Amino acid sequence: MLRYVALRVLIALVLVWLVSTLVFLVLHLVPGDPAELLLSAGNTAPDPEAVAQLRSQMGLDRPVLAQYAAYIADLTHLDFGVSLRDQNPIAPELALRLPRTLELILAAAVIASLIGVPLGTLAAMRDGGWSEKLVSLLASAALSTPVFVVGTTLVLVFAQWLGWISAGGYVPLAEDPLRHLSLLAMPAVTIALPLTAVMIRMTRASVLEVLEKDHVRTARAKGLARGPIIRRHVVRNALVPVITVLGLEMGTLIGGTVLVEYVFNWPGLSGYLVRAVEARDYPEVVGIVLVISFLFVLLNLLIDITYAVLDPRVKLAK
Amino acid sequence: MTRAQRSLYIWLGLAAVLIAFPLLAPVLPLQPTIGMDIPHRFAGPSAANWLGNDEYGRDVLSRIIWGARASLAVAFGSAFCAAVIGTILGLLGGYFRGITEVLAVRSTEIVICLPPLLLAMLVITILGAGVLTLTVALTILFVPNYTRVVYAATLQTGGLDFVKAQEAMGTHPLKILARTVLPNIVPPLLVQFSLTVASGILLESGLSFLGLGVVPPAPSWGLMIRAARAAMDQQPLLLLWPSLALAGTVLLLNVICDRLQDVLSPKTAARGGAAWLRRQIKRTPDAPAPEVPLLKIEDLSVGVALEQGSMGLTKGIAFEVKPGETMALVGESGSGKTLTGLAMTGLLPNALSVTGGHAWFRTEAGVVDLAALTEEEFGPLRGNDISMVFQDAAAALNPVHRIGDQLAEIIQCHRPMPKQQAEAEVVELLRKVGIPDPERRIRAYPFELSGGQRQRAMIAMAVANAPKLLIADEPTTALDPTIQAQILRLFAKLKEDNPGMGVIFVTHNLAVVKEIATHVSVMYAGQVVEQGTVEEVFADPRHPYTKALLASVPESDAERLESIPGTVPQPGAMPEGCRFAPRCGHAAAACAAPQPLLDTGEGRTTRCLRWADLWKDVA
């Protein structure tokens, strides 16, 4: 187990490095002068003086390799540079906002797992019945409705019409726990919705497959009741592929937070990102994209480890 | 045309009709999408403006149709560009391997490490918002998906014989790729294409919603939802129309993708899930229970339910097992011996069921008919009174649970006891079946044991509650000969420890029968053809099939090893009369009629009507 985890951590670190390099390269691979591109809007040529200033500010006037070395060196100290807009260092802002986004993602993953796994199992057990058809239909609908449509509709119904919850905002947990949770509810549910649909579909397919396995017949031959068979010998085994999909969907999930934080005014990384992109503040965008990508890699690492805990055979494989 | 194909064409037709509107937008009599009409701000639906007017008084319907053009252009454009680039990279990487593979396939996979929306935002920061930027960003995003799919398919196709043959003939690699490999990877490409178009529409509308995509005043669904959100307390309907258009389009694409997959890889598995999970109607016995010492099978038949009615697989199986006896069910594969074993425990596969007959079994509470029990009623019997050993222990044990836990489960299920006590019992059991170092082995997972040890663990599980009847389904077939012998000795030893236990031993191996069984039922094509004690049946077979079977075994005393001519008839094409007649050298006119199981005295039976003329004088 220790060797397996060590290997996974190593792979994660390599991924972090690769992603950082890719993000660095994007700016330099785009044809044209980066500073000019960043300052151009529409067809008007940017002011040459501003271009020169931006170039020295971002260090673009140095050789590319030197820029890369400095960039990586800064990253190892978690130094993400300063914002172009107000010259404030970016790292503290990231540190402040990261936990809020993380909270949203985890809440959504928990909601999706708690609803998706039982419903998917039910759909598989009642395959072909009306309850399976209903669940599958709901899953298809949830998967096809964009998160910002769902979010906006929730605001319209629960905040505008019914007046049950505020339309959005954020209060720190320590300040007012109840209000914090009530503000968390809508964005978390919104992000969870498409993920729940994916979990339902995956769990259903996986459970159907496991039900055909010989070891389920053995469990029946032991005289176990339906409940223990489903819990210990079907769902437990079916979870392994579902966890993998959860990992693959993490990207969409994190992408979803960008839209949802915007809809609900949740002051996480993503609202910050939207403003940074609007202002075309490249260092800020890079910082946020990197942090979210690292988070993505970290979540996948956690999933790999969960995977090994669920299926002991995984530890042996490379 | 299959049902799946028809369904796909219907959905494709619907999509074509819907796509026609935005394509024809310039020639349709639509109102302008840009000019303002302040007096009609937020007007509801009317004859002139079917879906009403927006916050600038513009016609919503025409903005939705024009907005679709932006979504579709970005989604189809990027999906197409990505398909072309990704396919080329995937083909090259999958076909040439080596360094090309690293450059073409592995390098693109780094993109997958970035959440999709973020990479798009990175590109937008550099290039500025707009339709062209979006298309570029989404193309970069989608390339790795295609590369992966095409790469995997190319690896598969590249290994096929006809590709190897072309290589051997010296065809140019690029020609092979274009002519042979490419057509074979079209199906996964089509599925990927419909997926990326749906995802492209979602991403475009999402970015436009954030104000980072299509630039106003050009219409786009995402922008319309963004505007409607600001004005939703004044006119909620404005939110409804673009949301419906957007969700409907994505749903349509997802449905097409599902149907496409149905057509390309038809599901062979029967729908309906596991039969044992459905509610079962309790059957009332149609015959009074007879007095039986342990087990008496009467006229038991198993059939498979098909669309055109049921088809018989085994017919009229009958035999008896008394306490302490070992009955061997022997016959070729497909003779129905395993089905008979499973029918007695209610563990038949999904589509199969008992279609007639009884399996009377003595329990503490009296005699029950195993053929009529529901899943619930079976619970207390299985693993306790009747237990099974399966052929493939590697598959029959749950791979994710420790051996000890799987064994403790069967003990605690029938005899509730604390965990430690159950564990101590498990250690004893494992020691009894000859697994070395049982204290440590209980912590092992099935994959950590050898094949022989797994089968021993399986047997330990079966005898954990000292069953009255043990059904062993080819327990030694998957093992190599030395282990086989050890397992057979283990069965003999368990029998000594529990002399009252009846055993049904399913096997195709006559040598095993001779070693382990007291009685034998020879099965052929779903019927029992001969029964008796092992000694007598082996010495004096009374059915031509048994005789032929004995003669075809190397261990037999026959001078020459003989094979039986012909093949076992298929279920559904069974001969009316004696099922062995087509392969029998002694078949007579009377064999064309259905044959009953004849009592030949000394407790023996045969399904051959000619047994007397053929062998009486010999016996």
Side-chain angles (χ1 to χ4, degrees):
Chain A
M1 188 71 192
L2 212 65
R3 257 196 64 196
Y4 173 83
V5 173
L7 188 68
R8 292 291 125 184
V9 171
L10 195 71
I11 292 176
L13 285 175
V14 172
L15 278 179
V16 164
W17 171 69
L18 283 174
V19 168
S20 313
T21 308
L22 178 74
V23 168
F24 176 82
L25 283 178
V26 168
L27 186 64
H28 295 271
L29 283 180
V30 173
D33 179 75
E36 254 174 61
L37 279 170
L38 283 173
L39 288 173
S40 64
N43 292 322
T44 49
D47 173 22
E49 212 166 287
V51 172
Q53 198 205 337
L54 179 66
R55 201 176 280 150
S56 75
Q57 195 182 347
M58 285 176 65
L60 291 169
D61 43 4
R62 286 182 292 163
V64 173
L65 271 179
Q67 286 181 46
Y68 181 66
Y71 165 82
I72 294 289
D74 284 347
L75 277 190
T76 52
H77 302 111
L78 293 177
D79 178 359
F80 293 92
V82 294
S83 153
L84 290 182
R85 283 181 292 177
D86 46 18
Q87 310 302 318
N88 283 339
I90 297 166
E93 190 71 20
L94 290 175
L96 179 70
R97 287 166 176 266
L98 175 65
R100 301 174 185 161
T101 296
L102 204 55
E103 182 187 3
L104 214 49
I105 291 173
L106 289 181
V110 168
I111 294 174
S113 310
L114 287 182
I115 300 175
V117 170
L119 276 186
T121 308
L122 179 83
M125 289 170 64
R126 301 266 185 275
D127 193 38
W130 65 267
S131 44
E132 185 256 341
K133 293 201 174 94
L134 182 71
V135 169
S136 296
L137 186 76
L138 287 177
S140 293
L143 216 50
S144 306
T145 318
V147 281
F148 59 94
V149 170
V150 175
T152 313
T153 312
L154 286 183
V155 169
L156 178 66
V157 175
F158 291 101
Q160 298 269 2
W161 290 352
L162 299 173
W164 289 356
I165 316 179
S166 318
Y170 177 84
V171 170
L173 184 67
E175 211 170 279
D176 185 350
L178 261 175
R179 183 153 169 76
H180 174 86
L181 289 178
S182 83
L183 286 170
L184 174 70
M186 279 206 294
V189 165
T190 307
I191 301 177
L193 202 66
L195 188 67
T196 310
V198 173
M199 297 280 277
I200 288 177
R201 286 180 150 210
M202 244 345 265
T203 309
R204 177 179 164 269
S206 183
V207 165
L208 277 179
E209 207 180 304
V210 174
L211 278 173
E212 297 289 313
K213 291 267 157 80
D214 276 4
H215 74 254
V216 176
R217 187 177 63 182
T218 310
R220 292 171 64 206
K222 286 174 167 182
L224 296 177
R226 262 173 228 191
I229 296 181
I230 295 292
R231 270 199 314 277
R232 278 182 250 161
H233 295 281
V234 178
V235 175
R236 172 68 208 275
N237 292 58
L239 277 183
V240 178
V242 174
I243 292 284
T244 319
V245 170
L246 189 64
L248 292 174
E249 285 298 313
M250 219 39 105
T252 323
L253 185 64
I254 292 175
T257 64
V258 176
L259 290 156
V260 172
E261 286 186 9
Y262 180 82
V263 170
F264 292 100
N265 276 322
W266 187 266
L269 284 177
S270 308
Y272 188 32
L273 177 63
V274 174
R275 271 196 288 118
V277 177
E278 272 171 351
R280 298 180 76 182
D281 190 330
Y282 196 73
E284 273 189 354
V285 174
V286 166
I288 304 164
V289 167
L290 282 178
V291 167
I292 298 183
S293 305
F294 296 165
L295 187 65
F296 185 45
V297 172
L298 182 74
L299 288 172
N300 270 304
L301 174 70
L302 289 179
I303 280 169
D304 275 344
I305 293 170
T306 319
Y307 198 90
V309 172
L310 279 178
D311 189 346
R313 285 170 299 182
V314 172
K315 274 172 280 184
L316 288 188
K318 281 198 269 309
Chain B
M1 205 189 325
T2 64
R3 250 186 84 189
Q5 275 171 324
R6 207 174 320 137
S7 171
L8 174 66
Y9 291 137
I10 290 172
W11 287 106
L12 279 176
L14 184 60
V17 171
L18 288 178
I19 286 180
F21 281 101
L23 284 183
L24 296 175
V27 297
L28 288 175
L30 293 170
Q31 301 190 20
T33 57
I34 295 182
M36 292 195 197
D37 180 7
I38 300 301
H40 287 108
R41 286 182 77 204
F42 301 120
S46 62
N49 308 90
W50 292 353
L51 303 182
N53 302 62
D54 72 1
E55 74 278 13
Y56 292 115
R58 299 172 296 197
D59 179 49
V60 172
L61 178 65
S62 73
R63 282 184 70 80
I64 283 193
I65 292 178
W66 279 94
R69 285 170 72 94
S71 290
L72 294 178
V74 171
F76 274 97
S78 56
F80 182 76
C81 295
V84 173
I85 300 171
T87 306
I88 293 173
L89 290 178
L91 278 175
L92 294 177
Y95 193 79
F96 293 109
R97 314 294 300 275
I99 184 75
T100 325
E101 182 183 335
V102 175
L103 288 177
V105 183
R106 302 286 162 229
S107 62
T108 59
E109 285 184 353
I110 303 172
V111 173
I112 298 178
C113 300
L114 276 170
L117 203 60
L118 294 189
L119 190 67
M121 294 180 97
L122 201 62
V123 176
I124 292 165
T125 316
I126 302 173
L127 295 181
V131 172
L132 194 66
T133 311
L134 272 181
T135 313
V136 171
L138 297 191
T139 303
I140 299 173
L141 273 180
F142 294 150
V143 163
N145 297 339
Y146 286 99
T147 311
R148 268 185 165 184
V149 167
V150 173
Y151 168 74
T154 309
L155 279 189
Q156 249 173 20
T157 323
L160 295 180
D161 288 342
F162 62 89
V163 177
K164 290 258 181 295
Q166 291 207 334
E167 274 169 29
M169 277 154 56
T171 315
H172 192 273
L174 288 180
K175 206 167 165 185
I176 298 182
L177 281 179
R179 295 250 179 99
T180 315
V181 181
L182 194 56
N184 275 293
I185 56 173
V186 165
L189 265 182
L190 281 176
V191 172
Q192 196 57 45
F193 191 78
S194 55
L195 278 176
T196 39
V197 169
S199 154
I201 290 179
L202 281 178
L203 283 166
E204 181 275 325
S205 58
L207 286 166
S208 298
F209 174 76
L210 291 175
L212 303 173
V214 175
V215 183
S220 137
W221 293 343
L223 274 176
M224 291 174 78
I225 296 172
R226 177 184 169 87
R229 178 173 169 260
M232 68 185 166
D233 38 348
Q234 282 151 293
Q235 184 49 282
L237 273 180
L238 286 181
L239 187 60
L240 180 71
W241 305 124
S243 299
L244 271 184
L246 184 53
T249 307
V250 177
L251 183 62
L252 183 64
L253 281 165
N254 284 342
V255 170
I256 288 176
C257 181
D258 285 351
R259 294 294 168 272
L260 197 59
Q261 273 168 328
D262 286 348
V263 171
L264 296 175
S265 55
K267 291 187 198 82
T268 43
R271 289 273 291 178
W276 59 277
L277 286 170
R278 268 176 257 143
R279 185 168 302 164
Q280 290 161 321
I281 304 137
K282 199 169 165 170
R283 277 165 53 181
T284 44
D286 52 359
E291 266 311 298
V292 293
L294 182 62
L295 175 77
K296 184 172 182 168
I297 310 271
E298 282 178 353
D299 207 22
L300 190 73
S301 305
V302 172
V304 57
L306 297 172
E307 272 169 41
Q308 56 272 39
S310 88
M311 180 168 75
L313 293 177
T314 73
K315 195 169 169 243
I317 306 288
F319 60 82
E320 211 178 324
V321 180
K322 295 198 179 72
E325 281 182 1
T326 298
M327 166 65 79
L329 288 183
V330 66
E332 290 165 84
S333 3
S335 60
K337 45 195 197 311
T338 298
L339 288 186
T340 306
L342 292 175
M344 275 181 275
T345 42
L347 296 174
L348 286 169
N350 267 339
L352 271 51
S353 61
V354 172
T355 50
H358 305 280
W360 303 110
F361 179 72
R362 168 163 295 283
T363 66
E364 257 113 68
V367 175
V368 294
D369 184 1
L370 295 176
L373 292 185
T374 62
E375 186 73 14
E376 274 80 19
E377 290 169 316
F378 256 122
L381 293 183
R382 286 188 195 141
N384 194 27
D385 292 310
I386 310 176
S387 56
M388 282 202 81
V389 175
F390 297 101
Q391 173 175 352
D392 183 1
L397 292 168
N398 190 332
V400 307
H401 292 296
R402 296 175 198 276
I403 289 289
D405 296 339
Q406 297 194 49
L407 276 147
E409 195 175 47
I410 194 170
I411 296 173
Q412 286 176 306
C413 161
H414 296 285
R415 290 178 283 139
M417 61 173 76
K419 199 172 182 292
Q420 274 104 338
Q421 197 185 337
E423 197 163 279
E425 215 173 289
V426 169
V427 169
E428 255 341 280
L429 264 173
L430 288 181
R431 200 189 309 283
K432 192 162 117 183
V433 297
I435 290 183
D437 197 7
E439 288 86 357
R440 269 190 40 208
R441 279 298 184 215
I442 55 169
R443 305 255 165 272
Y445 289 98
F447 71 94
E448 293 170 323
L449 300 182
S450 69
Q453 284 185 337
R454 274 197 292 263
Q455 192 56 280
R456 283 174 196 271
M458 187 82 229
I459 293 167
M461 194 183 284
V463 299
N465 293 321
K468 295 195 188 66
L469 180 66
L470 177 70
I471 302 172
D473 182 11
E474 308 232 19
T476 59
T477 309
L479 304 172
D480 50 41
T482 47
I483 312 287
Q484 272 190 26
Q486 291 173 11
I487 297 289
L488 288 178
R489 273 201 295 281
L490 173 62
F491 270 103
K493 181 175 157 259
L494 293 172
K495 200 69 190 293
E496 276 168 35
D497 294 349
N498 184 4
M501 178 172 72
V503 178
I504 296 176
F505 203 97
V506 176
T507 179
H508 62 264
N509 188 334
L510 289 171
V512 169
V513 174
K514 212 167 178 175
E515 191 161 326
I516 197 153
T518 53
H519 293 69
V520 60
S521 293
V522 181
M523 294 195 58
Y524 179 77
Q527 288 183 324
V528 171
V529 293
E530 179 167 7
Q531 272 169 348
T533 62
V534 169
E535 216 166 76
E536 287 178 48
V537 171
F538 273 56
D540 168 29
R542 288 178 179 174
H543 192 283
Y545 177 66
T546 317
K547 204 168 168 63
L549 202 61
L550 286 168
S552 67
V553 173
E555 289 90 338
S556 75
D557 303 329
E559 285 154 32
R560 209 155 58 81
L561 208 56
E562 283 172 33
S563 64
I564 306 173
T567 52
V568 184
Q570 290 298 305
M574 288 293 174
E576 267 297 293
C578 172
R579 293 183 171 183
F580 188 61
R583 299 172 75 183
C584 179
H586 308 288
C591 297
Q595 301 297 312
L597 206 53
L598 302 172
D599 196 334
T600 62
E602 305 125 45
R604 296 186 57 187
T605 53
T606 175
R607 210 180 276 278
C608 180
L609 110 156
R610 301 202 60 207
W611 76 274
D613 5 317
L614 288 175
W615 294 297
K616 193 138 205 197
D617 40 278
V618 187

